[in-house]
Amino acid sequence: MSAPVLVFDSGIGGLTVLREARVLMPARRFVYVADDAGFPYGDWEERALAQRIVGLFGRLLERHRPQLVVIACNTASTIVLGDLRAAYPDTPFVGTVPAIKPAAERTRSGLVSVLGTPGTVARQYTRDLIASWAQKCHVRLVGSSRLAALAETYMRDGFVDEEAVRAEIAPCFVEKDGRRTDIVVLACTHYPFLVNRMRKTAPWPVDWIDPAEAIARRALSLLPGEREQQPDGGEDVAIFTSGRADAAARRLVRGFGLAVA
Ligand code: DGL
């Protein structure tokens, strides 16, 4: 069987990236890893989280021998990508970082918001992206402690508290000198699952930037000859680090065509 692509997140958020990756790499086998034992990543202290993830990858790489890894999580990527590449130099790692550059290129009003976990918006990495690419914009960083969990509940149980979504996204909407925010960067892979509710509860229409397709394209670009591959029949699997995925989580990943390992 050919080597898989391993997609990693703290929970179900990386499924938004897996969805796009499958469109671009239909023959590829995927292993999806949800570190649900560590969820939510948003509130972790940086060094402790980095050590946890580097440790987990020692076992994951040995067991699955992926050809490439996608860290489909902003919170993890903004702190641990460098450590992972240094610890496992033979494996290519593709990360997910807030799409600040495309937002700065696209905004007409010059007012952009970045909506992520408290961890992602506090990171130096995110601030450096703003300094490099968005100096001419007014960028508001909005850290939400609740949205990732709201997305998990929505995807597992089909329920979402719309008032909570409204309250969490409200700080993204800024009016200044007669101009308004026109782009919100979804800087957490869980959030695209809630984007319809965000549209519905937003005070005015904006573009919501979901980087999933760009990440999948980047992964594809590192796998030469991928488009010519034929499927080898291997099954896609999901792994939950808790080892205790409940019925709702199992149902959800099965709906994505993943067997629970
Ligand atoms: N999906 C993750 C991200 O992109 C984080 C969710 C969490 O664990 O808090 O940042």
Side-chain angles (χ1 to χ4, degrees):
M1 219 162 24
S2 65
V5 165
L6 191 151
V7 178
F8 179 87
D9 183 32
S10 58
I12 58 147
L15 294 170
T16 61
V17 178
L18 176 72
R19 195 163 59 182
E20 298 298 332
R22 275 183 161 159
V23 174
L24 296 181
M25 299 175 240
R28 180 60 61 167
R29 189 163 60 86
F30 289 91
V31 173
Y32 184 82
V33 180
D35 183 15
D36 61 333
F39 181 85
Y41 276 0
D43 300 329
W44 275 68
E45 187 277 315
E46 291 194 16
R47 280 330 298 161
L49 183 58
Q51 274 165 14
R52 171 182 179 81
I53 296 171
V54 172
L56 276 175
F57 266 94
R59 298 187 287 281
L60 289 170
L61 296 182
E62 201 177 291
R63 181 161 162 218
H64 301 287
R65 310 215 166 266
Q67 193 168 341
L68 178 142
V69 172
V70 178
I71 304 294
C73 175
N74 295 259
T75 314
S77 297
T78 49
I79 52 163
V80 82
L81 264 182
D83 293 351
L84 285 170
R85 288 178 178 142
Y88 309 111
D90 296 334
T91 305
F93 286 89
V94 172
T96 307
V97 297
I100 288 166
K101 183 171 180 250
E105 285 164 358
R106 257 187 250 173
T107 179
R108 283 185 304 271
S109 70
L111 302 185
V112 167
S113 291
V114 177
L115 181 61
T117 65
T120 296
V121 299
R123 300 272 188 271
Q124 190 55 41
Y125 196 110
T126 304
R127 293 172 194 253
D128 290 346
L129 285 175
I130 295 170
S132 306
W133 305 110
Q135 264 184 357
K136 294 205 180 98
C137 302
H138 177 276
V139 180
R140 162 144 325 165
L141 292 168
V142 179
S144 165
S145 318
R146 296 192 62 196
L147 279 171
L150 287 166
E152 291 266 337
T153 309
Y154 176 53
M155 292 306 288
R156 295 155 53 108
D157 307 327
F159 167 79
V160 65
D161 177 348
E162 275 184 11
E163 279 317 305
V165 173
R166 188 194 306 277
E168 293 300 295
I169 67 169
C172 294
F173 292 82
V174 178
E175 291 192 274
K176 199 167 175 264
D177 307 328
R179 293 173 298 141
R180 287 172 154 187
T181 304
D182 62 354
I183 297 199
V184 176
V185 175
L186 298 177
C188 169
T189 51
H190 279 69
Y191 299 174
F193 284 132
L194 289 177
V195 77
N196 285 337
R197 304 307 167 108
M198 293 181 181
R199 280 200 186 98
K200 187 172 163 194
T201 55
W204 59 79
V206 292
D207 278 351
W208 306 86
I209 298 193
D210 169 5
E213 192 193 336
I215 298 158
R217 283 196 185 286
R218 172 75 189 137
L220 177 65
S221 74
L222 297 177
L223 295 169
E226 182 67 20
R227 303 293 268 179
E228 288 77 53
Q229 297 300 315
Q230 294 301 316
D232 63 12
E235 193 178 33
D236 290 352
V237 294
I239 292 156
F240 291 86
T241 55
S242 69
R244 280 180 278 123
D246 59 17
R250 285 167 183 272
R251 206 169 40 240
L252 172 66
V253 295
R254 273 198 217 106
F256 274 79
L258 300 161
V260 180

